[in-house]
């Protein structure tokens, strides 16, 4: 009788366990971090949102790295290159502040049950970067050395356009670094570190939907005039 009772109890436990396990496994994907807070204040709304998103990306990556064993010392540009999509759950902007919550999906995660993955072009999401997905951060190859630096001016019509331009630039093999020298709600002055000569980098960036071109104002004499600002301009193809 005792053995029979134990057998019934074990059978009941085994039958109950599979009903819970699939649901738990379906939700346990470290490549998809939900409810990630993004908060920052700055001199204007553009800088505040950029800082807030950078904070959210770093926090989401720390969670992802702790769960997967990825390189915990990844740089900001390496983290951005591994982000497949960012979906806004909620957000609020002020004149000098930004707060929100995001769902951040990293490359290499399990596909969703629908077979198509996250719809990165859906409303509230940033489009996925073009080109093949890079390898996981834990096994990134050594970066090519920088061969040139240049200052470039960028104009944009919205915060999303600026964020998309920044993400695309950092995803390109020709771009090794991006420093923001000045930024406003309508434009920015950037310092780009390139891994190839500017004319070669410009051709590579064109394939990624980015325009990089020299600025050569013409004087009344018909000759190029000296310029005091950036010698190059950069922007999204068709929107620069």
């Amino acid at each position: 009788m005792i053995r029979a009772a134990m057998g019934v109890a074990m059978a009941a436990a085994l039958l109950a366990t599979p009903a819970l396990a699939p649901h738990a496994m379906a939700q346990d994907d470290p490549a998809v971090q939900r409810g990630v807070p993004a908060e920052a204040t700055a001199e204007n709304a553009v800088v505040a949102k950029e800082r807030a998103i950078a904070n959210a990306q770093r926090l989401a990556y720390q969670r992802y790295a702790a769960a997967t064993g990825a390189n915990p010392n990844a740089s900001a540009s390496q983290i951005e290159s591994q982000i497949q999509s960012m979906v806004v759950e909620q957000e609020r902007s002020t004149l000098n502040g930004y707060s929100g919550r995001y769902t951040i999906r990293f490359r290499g995660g399990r596909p969703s049950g629908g077979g198509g993955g996250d719809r990165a072009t859906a409303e509230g999401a940033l489009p996925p970067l073009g080109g093949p997905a890079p390898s996981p951060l834990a096994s990134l190859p050594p970066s090519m050395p920088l061969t040139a630096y240049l200052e470039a001016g960028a104009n944009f019509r919205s915060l999303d356009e600026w964020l998309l331009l920044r993400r695309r630039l950092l995803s390109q093999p020709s771009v090794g670094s991006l420093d923001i020298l000045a930024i406003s709600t309508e434009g920015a002055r950037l310092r780009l570190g390139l891994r190839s000569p500017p004319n070669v980098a410009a051709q590579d960036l064109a394939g990624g939907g980015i325009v990089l071109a020299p600025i050569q104002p013409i004087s009344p004499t018909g000759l190029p005039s000296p310029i005091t600002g950036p010698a190059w301009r950069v922007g999204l193809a068709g929107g620069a």
Side-chain angles (χ1 to χ4, degrees):
M1 293 293 293
I2 295 177
R3 290 183 178 180
M6 292 177 62
V8 171
M10 292 178 63
L14 290 173
L15 288 173
T17 301
L20 297 175
H23 177 73
M25 292 177 63
Q27 301 298 316
D28 188 23
D29 185 357
V32 181
Q33 297 292 328
R34 307 181 190 280
V36 182
E39 298 181 354
T41 57
E43 58 270 24
N44 60 57
V46 174
V47 178
K49 184 171 184 178
E50 182 181 347
R51 290 179 181 174
I53 289 177
N55 293 339
Q57 291 174 341
R58 171 65 64 178
L59 177 58
Y61 177 74
Q62 288 174 345
R63 297 175 181 176
Y64 169 74
T68 63
N71 175 17
N73 300 317
S75 65
S77 60
Q78 288 176 322
I79 292 174
E80 284 204 51
S81 72
Q82 291 300 306
I83 293 175
Q84 177 175 317
S85 64
M86 291 181 58
V87 179
V88 179
E89 297 178 7
Q90 62 183 52
E91 64 179 351
R92 178 176 179 271
S93 294
T94 63
L95 291 177
N96 61 351
Y98 179 88
S99 63
R101 288 188 176 275
Y102 285 77
T103 293
I104 299 177
R105 174 180 282 274
F106 292 93
R107 301 183 187 277
R110 294 194 297 269
S112 62
D118 281 354
R119 293 186 305 164
T121 56
E123 183 178 359
L126 292 176
L129 302 178
S135 58
L137 286 173
S139 59
L140 280 174
S143 298
M144 295 174 58
L146 300 179
T147 61
Y149 287 94
L150 59 84
E151 285 192 22
N155 294 324
F156 38 85
R157 295 166 294 186
S158 67
L159 296 181
D160 287 341
E161 185 174 320
W162 156 244
L163 293 172
L164 179 57
L165 171 62
R166 185 171 181 269
R167 290 189 65 204
R168 285 191 179 179
L169 281 169
L170 290 173
S171 74
Q172 300 301 313
S174 295
V175 178
S177 66
L178 186 158
D179 296 317
I180 301 172
L181 303 179
I183 190 168
S184 69
T185 56
E186 298 178 348
R189 192 169 86 246
L190 311 175
R191 184 170 184 259
L192 301 177
L194 304 178
R195 296 192 175 102
S196 56
N199 59 331
V200 176
Q203 296 177 4
D204 295 338
L205 294 177
I210 299 172
V211 174
L212 178 66
I215 298 175
Q216 295 181 332
I218 303 301
S219 68
T221 63
L223 300 175
S225 300
I227 57 176
T228 57
W232 294 74
R233 68 179 181 91
V234 64
L236 298 174

